[in-house]
Amino acid sequence: MHRAPTHNALCAFSPIPILQFGQININPYFPVRSMKQVISMSTKISFVLDGKIASIDFNREKRYTPTTTVLNYLRSLPNHKGTKEGCAEGDCGACTVVLGELGHDRKIHYKAVDSCLVFLPMLHGKQLITIENLKSPDDTLHPVQQAMVDTHGSQCGFCTPGVVMSLFALYKSAIKPTRLNIEEALSGNLCRCTGYVPIIEAAEKACVKKKKDHFSGNEKTVSKLLQKIKRNSLSLKTGNQNYFCPKSVNESLQLRKKYPNTLIICGATDIALRVTKNYEKLPEIIDLSFISALQGISHKKNSTEIMAGTTLSEIKRYANNRFLALHKMLTVFGSDQIRNLATIGGNIATASPIGDIAPLLMAYHAKIVLVSKKKKRRLAIEDFITGYRKTACRKNELISAVIIPHPKKDTQIKFYKFSKRKDLDISTVSGGFYLELAKENKVKSIKLAFGGMALFTRRAYKTEKFLEGFEWSFKKVEQAGTILEKEFRPISDARAGAEGRILAAQNLLLKFWSETRVD
Amino acid sequence: MPRKEKLFVGINKDLEEITVPIPDADPKPWDGKDELKYIGKKVPRIDGTYKTTGRAKYTFDIKVPGMIYGKIIRSPYPAAMVTKIDSSQAEKLPGVRSIIRVKDELPFPVRFAGQEVVALAADTEHLAQEAADLVKIEYDQKPFVVDLDEAMKENAPLVFDPKDEEKDKVKNVRDARIYPKDGKSEEIDAVLNSSDHKIEATYRTQVQTHCPMETHGVVAKWNDEKLTIWASTQGTFMVRNQVADHFNIPKSDIRVITKFMGGGFGSKLKADTYTMLAVKLAREAKKPVRLMLSRKEDHLSTGNRPNSLQTVTVGATKEGKITGIKLKSFGTAGIGRGAGTGGPARFIYDAEKIYTEESDVYTNAGPSAPFRAPGHPQGAFAFEQTIDDMAYKIGMDPLEFRIKNSESDKVRQAEYKIGAEKFGWLKRNPKPGAEKGVIKTGAGLANSLWYYIYSPGSHVSLRVNDDGSVQLRSGVQDIGGGIVTPMAMIIAEELCLKPTDIKITIGDTEFGLAPTSGGSQTTAGLTPAVRNAAYSAKQRLLKIAAGLMEVDMKEVKLSDGGTFSTIDSKKQMIWKEVTAEIPEGQFSVTGERMEDYYETKRWKISGVQFAEVKVDTETGSIKVKRMVAIHDCGRPMDRLTIESQINGGIIQGISFAFYENRILDRNTGVMVNPNLEQYKIAGARDVPPIESHIIDLNLGQSSTGAIGVGEPATIPTAAAIANAVYHAIGVRIREMPMTPSVVLKALNKV
Ligand code: FES
Ligand code: FES
């Protein structure tokens, strides 16, 4: 059955299928060895669950399709009902599980993800850890479980398995967490009962001084199992669905040519919802998350290149102390569970009017790299986003990287966001601002990019012009507010009324001024 | 014949002696002089490991053989007549087992977007969805109104059709409920107008939905004429009774099971339409039916906290005595009722004259359901800010003013004192908005008021076995508060064992009647029954031990570790030796919660919370820096459980104050944010440090003296924060949620 993806909200606004990145990423821990393997398409997926290799052959196993979510898969098993569903939309974390991935260093790296957003093929080659796996074989509770018991960390307990899994990922991470890290690790878990106080306490109790747990003891065994799983390209076909996981960019471009209406995903944090909520069938999917060439961050002389399939978590780690505004923005973007899945390419490909990333990338003067079979081209992000959920990416292209020039000394780049809650919010109004001052406090160059103010992320060109060449003063900035108002007619929706948005944008600008002014 | 017991009652260590008649079979109530081993201490919940290991089974997890999946088709329109339902296509789909209509006769009206129209059940969830897509329903759309102000207008569309409804539904604005019954608006106005000072202000609060993490749902299974329902409910017996009524079947044929449930906050008290539909589907399909609602359905149809438009007027003398309080409120509970907000205005302060007038306004929205202290958080938000305003107007410290006007409430007075000290109230700058700079700090406080509610009649049964094991059974459900832990503590206390020694089974209507978890009455209503049962068991065991030791029963005592000994300690027997001699291997006793032993006069529960905030005057964002909460709940049982209630109540209050808001599109009548992304609830980062203090209030009114705390804890939070915000910026925020744009708007008006 062939269905043109016109029922697909993204494509409905776009003459071309839009790339959806944003998912589980294997790099930098992906064994190099596998890249050299000859391409042979495999029809089944394998992963480690309960200490054994579990395989699903979609040709045989009719209960599941490639777009069955890991949550629904787990809930269909007799012994994994601990994983709960609170929203099925990536907002509550009740479904949190941890994925173990084999790294370059031969160690297993653990990441919390929302299982309601993960499609089964994304498990391929990984270890799936659920709440049922946490107790040690001798029945003692894992330190994070014990701490949750001791601090009275549950009331109704429905959120608890998810919370415990988030704490477990924190426990297994390399850091010695601060209060801030703890809050961040929990930012994807909603609890309606306890007020989080005892949960935070449990994290402090268990995750600050860590001991070895049975996962450390078992690591070698699990690594061996994971190495046994061949990381071929996958071509998963069921009655009405083709799900491809190519291993190279070339392969993806070929597939794209063959299936021009296919949906391209890489992380799929919002695509999963189309299956679980809208019951869309998504007949063809190309999942880019297995392409190691699309992952990683490299530091060049004058810029940093972030491959499109790099997860936001990795970028956040990298940006710390390097790209301050980017780091700050990613800290309030989604939750760990989502950042571990979502990729930068996927995010900008949606060209969402309310994304946080695009405005900031504009402030950074970022460029987007698009590849096709024959050539590579670079576009300024302003030219890449062409309209409401529209981008300049052509049908024969893929987004391959984002390039961020290293900011010049004495320039300022800031990110501000105006919204109700800090976490898990598609922000109401966000601003990515760039400022370079000349002598005598004159504005030499300024970029003011806003999300949530127009149908797509846009710079306030007129306001910029109004400010350029003049003194960076309160008065001038205040006056600029009126230009700003004229320049934008904000979209009005549930988040904040038109008036509120203008006011918010003006205040963000004032805030920028007050944090960058020279007295 | 009741015996007379001397009891020491009072606040903390401030005790007086009273004499109370106690039935012979009951223990002497714990009083202010009893030092107990577990009761009043911090005991972690005994079901903790079930929850942290994922072993706790919720209704959501129930899977019974042959189970099929139910699905409700809901009206997409806020007001319409359902004129035609064609389910023939869906019926043809193999695996579709039953399709039913909410009403048999066509046409029938729907009055909110999300109202149930058709329900069906099929072999898989996917199939049920597919079938639902095939059912064709025709609607004749009608004018509608979803907005409170619009609904109050003369020519607004009527939510209920006057010709086929009860008398009081003929207009959108229902007749006001007046307090006191014979109260007159003119009389209060006269008092207010002749007062030295008068303040009047209008406030608005938003609709909040309950958002329990486990959505609403049931699994219903028929076995011949008998019915079993696994329900995510706060009231196992309430569900049983309502289903029995609805289907006209004996209560004894219905069993409701709730082993664990994922929160309710008032929205899971009733059986509700979805339960009835599931039961009916199961009967028609002759298969067990699982019907769990989605997050969206939860938002739309399972209840909410009504919004409000409140005008509060307060009068006072120049010396700072409140002369009169008047509240006029409107609010919409959708097509339901219960939008009153007058509790705080009526009962916190000792004013000469109090008058409240509360009107429900119908709109085309889902009906409200009780939500953690119905009416009170929004009532406190308006009323406690007006009180604050008055204090500043007179030039009095807001705390002073409150102390002066609630002298009759001794418990509250004690709470002010502790709170002021722990919070460091006196250190604050008395002048509002005095701080320089963009970011301003402020401190504020607010009172809460709730009611001592319990219903007599609950009973539990306790068994002691000859291997020494102790089991207790009760029909009670644990809404999350953790009632099982205090139950175990009480038995352990009475029988000198450890709480973990006690096996407790709850959540089944086959066991003894138990309170519905609503109104903060579970602990007050159930714990005396538990203690009474444990006390009877202890008498039985003492008698057995006395026989074994060949002394009079009066000579035997039970002490720590379950050791029986003679008073002179010459003879001793351990727990197992005595229980081994239980005739026939087991005995069972019951304990019952009767009426209180005497009229305590304390029908209310007080509480006060202090908040410190930081307000960014450029972005309008408010950060709560810390909260100090002081509450009373009779004799505290498990302090960890109580603290947990307070923490949770405060976070819900913060969430209500800043984030939560059900938004209905005026043009379409449809909810715009039926999810947990745009309907935002507070997360781990929004948690300020919370310091809670609990007053030990011994009244000796029941064998445990416990009173609830679940609801009080959420009442004053938003109000205390709003008062702190005023103190920080010198501007009142009279609207919730207090979002950055609301704050900025308020600031720009200055
Ligand atoms: S179920 Fe809520 S995040 Fe997955
Ligand atoms: S304990 Fe109920 S949601 Fe967290």
Side-chain angles (χ1 to χ4, degrees):
Chain A
M1 193 178 77
H2 186 85
R3 253 159 107 175
T6 44
H7 57 294
N8 148 352
L10 296 170
C11 295
F13 298 100
S14 168
I16 51 153
I18 281 175
L19 305 191
Q20 289 289 314
F21 284 85
Q23 122 182 359
I24 304 171
N25 158 35
I26 303 132
N27 193 12
Y29 316 123
F30 204 82
V32 182
R33 174 178 59 83
S34 62
M35 287 172 60
K36 298 203 183 103
Q37 280 167 359
V38 203
I39 297 175
S40 74
M41 293 280 195
S42 168
T43 57
K44 62 172 195 182
I45 60 160
S46 303
F47 50 93
V48 172
L49 177 63
D50 300 336
K52 294 185 291 273
I53 292 185
S55 292
I56 300 175
D57 187 336
F58 292 100
N59 287 333
R60 284 200 218 141
E61 182 55 88
K62 294 290 172 234
R63 274 192 301 171
Y64 313 119
T65 70
T67 49
T68 299
T69 62
V70 171
L71 173 62
N72 286 339
Y73 164 71
L74 285 170
R75 300 217 40 106
S76 75
L77 303 178
N79 298 320
H80 286 275
K81 292 224 172 20
T83 307
K84 299 288 185 265
E85 174 188 310
C87 68
E89 298 185 275
D91 296 322
C92 76
C95 65
T96 306
V97 296
V98 168
L99 298 182
E101 297 172 21
L102 201 55
H104 271 318
D105 51 5
R106 299 275 145 150
K107 283 206 178 102
I108 295 179
H109 298 257
Y110 300 90
K111 290 175 176 178
V113 297
D114 291 323
S115 65
C116 68
L117 297 181
V118 181
F119 292 144
L120 280 173
M122 300 173 184
L123 290 180
H124 186 61
K126 296 179 188 130
Q127 179 189 15
L128 171 60
I129 305 166
T130 70
I131 186 77
E132 288 81 3
N133 304 129
L134 252 51
K135 276 211 290 186
S136 30
D138 71 355
D139 236 25
T140 44
L141 295 182
H142 190 275
V144 295
Q145 291 175 309
Q146 188 60 51
M148 280 285 286
V149 173
D150 295 343
T151 61
H152 205 101
S154 316
Q155 275 189 31
C156 79
F158 202 76
C159 70
T160 308
V163 166
V164 168
M165 293 314 287
S166 286
L167 294 182
F168 170 69
L170 182 66
Y171 188 92
K172 300 304 285 178
S173 72
I175 55 167
K176 182 178 168 198
T178 59
R179 163 93 186 204
L180 208 73
N181 298 139
I182 291 171
E183 286 175 6
E184 235 173 81
L186 290 169
S187 66
N189 293 88
L190 291 177
C191 172
R192 191 59 157 160
C193 307
T194 63
Y196 306 97
V197 178
I199 298 175
I200 294 170
E201 214 181 296
E204 280 164 351
K205 239 176 134 160
C207 301
V208 176
K209 272 199 208 119
K210 300 171 187 172
K211 287 174 266 162
K212 280 220 151 68
D213 60 5
H214 68 99
F215 289 88
S216 337
N218 258 337
E219 201 161 319
K220 279 220 177 85
T221 326
V222 176
S223 299
K224 276 199 194 124
L225 289 177
L226 288 176
Q227 280 166 34
K228 272 196 202 156
I229 300 172
K230 285 218 180 69
R231 288 186 177 79
N232 293 344
S233 302
L234 300 176
S235 164
L236 310 167
K237 298 188 184 179
T238 57
N240 44 20
Q241 199 168 48
N242 291 338
Y243 193 111
F244 303 104
C245 303
K247 300 273 322 201
S248 72
V249 176
N250 253 339
E251 212 186 312
S252 334
L253 289 169
Q254 269 166 27
L255 281 166
R256 200 157 176 205
K257 197 166 166 201
K258 194 162 162 201
Y259 303 97
N261 291 318
T262 190
L263 183 71
I264 299 191
I265 65 173
C266 186
T269 50
D270 45 1
I271 298 299
L273 305 187
R274 292 172 46 188
V275 176
T276 55
K277 295 278 136 160
N278 304 349
Y279 296 89
E280 282 182 42
K281 299 258 157 52
L282 306 183
E284 280 148 12
I285 291 174
I286 302 179
D287 181 343
L288 302 181
S289 57
F290 289 78
I291 305 177
S292 42
L294 280 184
Q295 288 154 5
I297 303 174
S298 43
H299 185 91
K300 306 259 160 79
K301 193 160 164 255
N302 296 318
S303 64
T304 291
E305 184 183 40
I306 305 173
M307 299 315 292
T310 313
T311 63
L312 300 183
S313 287
E314 272 170 65
I315 300 172
K316 178 167 163 268
R317 259 195 305 276
Y318 186 86
N320 195 10
N321 298 324
R322 292 193 179 97
F323 296 99
L324 299 186
L326 182 62
H327 182 260
K328 180 181 156 195
M329 185 272 296
L330 288 174
T331 306
V332 291
F333 183 97
S335 60
D336 264 1
Q337 288 98 311
I338 287 179
R339 285 190 294 261
N340 283 336
L341 293 168
T343 61
I344 186 154
N347 187 279
I348 55 173
T350 61
S352 158
I354 41 176
D356 288 341
I357 296 182
L360 186 57
L361 287 181
M362 288 183 185
Y364 273 110
H365 300 66
K367 297 237 158 32
I368 310 300
V369 184
L370 298 167
V371 285
S372 65
K373 220 125 192 205
K374 302 218 176 77
K375 68 173 196 191
K376 232 186 198 182
R377 56 182 185 131
R378 284 181 182 204
L379 289 179
I381 173 133
E382 288 90 339
D383 300 327
F384 172 76
I385 297 172
T386 54
Y388 177 69
R389 295 188 177 277
K390 275 192 202 166
T391 74
C393 184
R394 294 184 193 130
K395 236 175 182 177
N396 60 351
E397 287 177 321
L398 290 175
I399 303 174
S400 80
V402 174
I403 292 175
I404 304 182
H406 295 151
K408 280 191 277 178
K409 253 210 206 133
D410 300 326
T411 59
Q412 305 256 19
I413 294 175
K414 301 251 181 203
F415 171 76
Y416 301 101
K417 177 167 165 174
F418 179 94
S419 71
K420 283 202 239 164
R421 199 186 68 198
K422 281 166 280 175
D423 314 308
L424 279 183
D425 178 38
I426 295 186
S427 59
T428 24
V429 175
S430 58
F433 303 146
Y434 165 86
L435 175 73
E436 187 180 353
L437 288 178
K439 268 186 237 116
E440 285 159 10
N441 199 24
K442 291 260 162 52
V443 176
K444 184 166 171 206
S445 161
I446 188 164
K447 277 193 180 200
L448 304 170
F450 287 96
M453 293 291 292
L455 282 178
F456 52 101
T457 301
R458 212 160 70 77
R459 287 204 7 227
Y461 289 109
K462 288 187 185 141
T463 317
E464 290 172 4
K465 212 158 166 223
F466 178 79
L467 289 165
E468 244 155 28
F470 292 92
E471 197 189 344
W472 187 231
S473 69
F474 179 77
K475 217 172 129 211
K476 192 74 186 165
V477 172
E478 211 184 20
Q479 286 166 356
T482 34
I483 313 274
L484 194 64
E485 180 166 1
K486 284 201 202 106
E487 191 163 5
F488 283 109
R489 253 201 276 141
I491 38 179
S492 201
D493 65 14
R495 295 177 181 98
E499 225 181 297
R501 278 165 191 269
I502 290 282
L503 200 60
Q506 289 167 334
N507 277 283
L508 295 187
L509 184 56
L510 276 174
K511 184 131 202 101
F512 182 49
W513 170 80
S514 80
E515 286 186 8
T516 54
R517 67 181 166 167
V518 195
D519 288 315
Chain B
M1 262 304 279
R3 63 184 197 273
K4 296 254 190 263
E5 287 278 5
K6 283 200 169 62
L7 300 177
F8 292 92
V9 300
I11 304 163
N12 292 331
K13 286 291 150 227
D14 184 7
L15 303 173
E16 56 169 325
E17 196 184 284
I18 59 166
T19 308
V20 175
I22 307 293
D24 265 341
D26 288 13
K28 175 180 126 350
W30 287 322
D31 70 8
K33 290 226 163 145
D34 281 319
E35 291 289 341
L36 303 174
K37 185 159 180 199
Y38 299 112
I39 297 300
K41 303 284 160 54
K42 295 188 170 188
V43 179
R45 49 191 311 146
I46 58 175
D47 56 359
T49 50
Y50 277 92
K51 294 185 170 169
T52 55
T53 55
R55 260 160 64 215
K57 273 222 170 9
Y58 297 78
T59 302
F60 185 70
D61 303 323
I62 298 295
K63 198 165 187 181
V64 293
M67 186 175 89
I68 59 173
Y69 298 81
K71 166 102 204 149
I72 296 175
I73 305 173
R74 295 168 183 276
S75 166
Y77 306 115
M81 286 305 274
V82 179
T83 51
K84 200 170 160 203
I85 297 175
D86 173 10
S87 53
S88 54
Q89 290 298 95
E91 278 155 27
K92 281 188 207 134
L93 216 58
V96 174
R97 305 288 167 181
S98 163
I99 303 181
I100 56 178
R101 296 168 179 189
V102 170
K103 289 210 178 79
D104 295 329
E105 297 280 306
L106 281 172
F108 62 83
V110 281
R111 298 196 173 88
F112 69 92
Q115 193 163 359
E116 304 82 355
V117 179
V118 170
L120 54 83
D123 289 356
T124 67
E125 262 178 298
H126 235 89
L127 195 59
Q129 177 61 43
E130 240 172 81
D133 291 343
L134 291 175
V135 176
K136 291 191 201 78
I137 303 173
E138 280 173 27
Y139 296 90
D140 180 8
Q141 290 189 59
K142 294 261 176 309
F144 63 89
V145 60
V146 293
D147 185 88
L148 176 65
D149 299 71
E150 291 298 320
M152 286 162 66
K153 287 187 181 153
E154 241 351 273
N155 50 2
L158 290 179
V159 174
F160 289 97
D161 190 343
K163 59 180 190 298
D164 50 27
E165 293 297 343
E166 311 143 41
K167 243 201 359 268
D168 71 336
K169 282 187 179 167
V170 295
K171 44 192 179 79
N172 288 345
V173 183
R174 284 184 76 207
D175 293 342
R177 272 186 315 277
I178 310 279
Y179 169 93
K181 275 215 172 70
D182 54 353
K184 298 253 169 349
S185 190
E186 308 83 74
E187 284 173 21
I188 182 77
D189 289 343
V191 173
L192 292 166
N193 290 334
S194 61
S195 302
D196 299 339
H197 297 284
K198 179 178 130 177
I199 281 189
E200 183 168 291
T202 299
Y203 297 83
R204 276 177 189 280
T205 64
Q206 78 280 29
V207 174
Q208 182 187 25
T209 57
H210 298 70
C211 301
M213 290 315 293
E214 181 187 31
T215 57
H216 292 62
V218 293
V219 174
K221 180 182 169 211
W222 287 89
N223 201 347
D224 296 330
E225 287 309 296
K226 293 211 192 307
L227 173 65
T228 305
I229 304 173
W230 288 265
S232 184
T233 181
Q234 300 174 228
T236 45
F237 289 93
M238 174 100 85
V239 170
R240 184 196 64 169
N241 297 349
Q242 289 180 344
V243 172
D245 272 0
H246 188 90
F247 292 94
N248 198 16
I249 38 178
K251 290 177 183 171
S252 52
D253 284 354
I254 305 174
R255 179 179 179 191
V256 177
I257 303 174
T258 308
K259 290 297 168 194
F260 290 95
M261 63 89 75
F265 313 104
S267 65
K268 291 181 182 168
L269 290 164
K270 290 184 301 178
D272 250 336
T273 315
Y274 66 88
T275 303
M276 306 309 177
L277 290 173
V279 169
K280 211 164 162 192
L281 284 171
R283 190 162 65 184
E284 298 232 329
K286 301 200 170 44
K287 278 172 179 289
V289 168
R290 173 191 200 259
L291 182 59
M292 289 300 299
L293 303 191
S294 68
R295 179 56 60 195
K296 180 174 175 183
E297 292 178 291
D298 235 57
H299 276 298
L300 296 180
S301 66
T302 63
N304 52 67
R305 183 188 294 288
N307 62 9
S308 73
L309 169 62
Q310 310 175 55
T311 302
V312 189
T313 322
V314 174
T317 65
K318 51 183 183 307
E319 291 77 29
K321 265 276 177 211
I322 297 176
T323 51
I325 293 169
K326 180 184 176 186
L327 166 78
K328 197 167 160 132
S329 82
F330 297 93
T332 179
I335 60 165
R337 297 171 192 176
T341 64
R346 287 194 286 267
F347 303 122
I348 296 178
Y349 299 106
D350 312 322
E352 286 159 33
K353 194 110 193 140
I354 296 175
Y355 173 89
T356 62
E357 195 185 302
E358 303 156 284
S359 308
D360 282 347
V361 180
Y362 291 121
T363 53
N364 292 98
S368 78
F371 192 163
R372 206 170 191 171
H376 283 61
Q378 62 268 47
F381 178 76
F383 178 59
E384 280 290 279
Q385 285 209 71
T386 318
I387 291 293
D388 232 50
D389 262 347
M390 181 55 96
Y392 285 114
K393 184 164 186 185
I394 301 175
M396 266 175 97
D397 176 285
L399 173 61
E400 264 319 298
F401 184 64
R402 285 180 170 83
I403 292 175
K404 191 165 178 160
N405 285 289
S406 48
E407 272 167 351
S408 65
D409 188 343
K410 296 283 170 280
V411 182
R412 194 179 291 288
Q413 292 292 334
E415 288 169 349
Y416 288 137
K417 209 163 150 218
I418 299 172
E421 190 192 309
K422 302 285 177 192
F423 184 79
W425 180 258
L426 292 178
K427 283 193 224 120
R428 105 200 226 284
N429 183 341
K431 205 168 145 5
E435 200 173 329
K436 294 251 150 38
V438 172
I439 296 179
K440 298 176 193 289
T441 338
L445 84 156
N447 276 315
S448 72
L449 170 282
W450 191 243
Y451 316 95
Y452 169 33
I453 303 172
Y454 74 93
S455 23
S458 295
H459 52 269
V460 299
S461 68
L462 190 130
R463 292 181 189 170
V464 184
N465 301 302
D466 58 1
D467 61 354
S469 58
V470 179
Q471 305 167 256
L472 181 103
R473 287 177 165 193
S474 159
V476 75
Q477 62 293 319
D478 181 1
I479 164 175
I483 185 65
V484 177
T485 306
M487 284 162 92
M489 289 163 69
I490 289 164
I491 301 167
E493 192 78 56
E494 199 61 45
L495 298 180
C496 302
L497 300 170
K498 291 199 294 291
T500 43
D501 292 339
I502 320 295
K503 262 248 153 310
I504 297 189
T505 321
I506 60 160
D508 191 331
T509 49
E510 298 291 281
F511 307 152
L513 176 76
T516 291
S517 295
S520 299
Q521 60 167 321
T522 316
T523 312
L526 195 63
T527 56
V530 176
R531 183 166 180 225
N532 295 352
Y535 179 76
S536 305
K538 182 171 156 183
Q539 302 313 307
R540 291 279 274 270
L541 292 166
L542 285 173
K543 197 163 165 202
I544 295 170
L548 295 169
M549 293 189 222
E550 298 175 327
V551 291
D552 192 86
M553 193 179 144
K554 285 208 185 76
E555 300 286 298
V556 190
K557 63 174 192 204
L558 175 57
S559 45
D560 233 20
T563 316
F564 294 84
S565 58
T566 50
I567 305 269
D568 56 14
S569 295
K570 284 207 178 114
K571 292 186 184 165
Q572 258 196 7
M573 291 182 84
I574 60 165
W575 179 261
K576 289 223 168 198
E577 289 172 329
V578 175
T579 52
E581 300 304 321
I582 294 172
E584 312 299 331
Q586 182 191 65
F587 71 76
S588 166
V589 291
T590 55
E592 192 174 345
R593 168 51 150 136
M594 312 289 271
E595 295 277 353
D596 275 356
Y597 296 135
Y598 73 105
E599 186 73 48
T600 63
K601 303 252 164 41
R602 179 132 184 105
W603 52 270
K604 57 182 168 184
I605 307 174
S606 306
V608 52
Q609 290 180 7
F610 293 75
E612 185 181 319
V613 300
K614 265 192 176 172
V615 186
D616 184 329
T617 51
E618 268 168 6
T619 61
S621 81
I622 303 170
K623 186 164 174 64
V624 181
K625 298 291 293 170
R626 64 192 175 106
M627 296 285 309
V628 175
I630 306 92
H631 288 275
D632 57 282
C633 53
R635 183 183 183 101
M637 300 283 106
D638 179 11
R639 277 183 209 271
L640 270 183
T641 304
I642 298 167
E643 264 172 31
S644 187
Q645 283 303 311
I646 295 178
N647 288 334
I650 287 178
I651 290 302
Q652 264 184 21
I654 289 178
S655 198
F656 182 42
F658 297 136
Y659 312 123
E660 297 183 40
N661 194 2
R662 183 199 70 184
I663 301 170
L664 300 181
D665 187 319
R666 283 185 192 205
N667 301 317
T668 60
V670 170
M671 183 172 175
V672 219
N673 52 348
N675 47 44
L676 291 174
E677 180 209 337
Q678 291 167 4
Y679 186 95
K680 224 167 281 302
I681 66 181
R685 291 185 199 182
D686 303 305
V687 181
I690 297 172
E691 194 181 318
S692 53
H693 299 276
I694 298 147
I695 297 271
D696 281 56
L697 176 63
N698 278 284
L699 297 172
Q701 83 282 19
S702 71
S703 59
T704 60
I707 293 177
V709 74
E711 286 166 295
T714 204
I715 295 171
T717 311
I721 291 169
N723 284 336
V725 169
Y726 173 75
H727 180 238
I729 61 176
V731 178
R732 280 278 163 208
I733 309 293
R734 303 191 200 270
E735 180 187 340
M736 273 210 286
M738 297 184 270
T739 59
S741 27
V742 168
V743 175
L744 287 182
K745 241 192 281 162
L747 276 169
N748 282 10
K749 276 190 197 142
V750 184

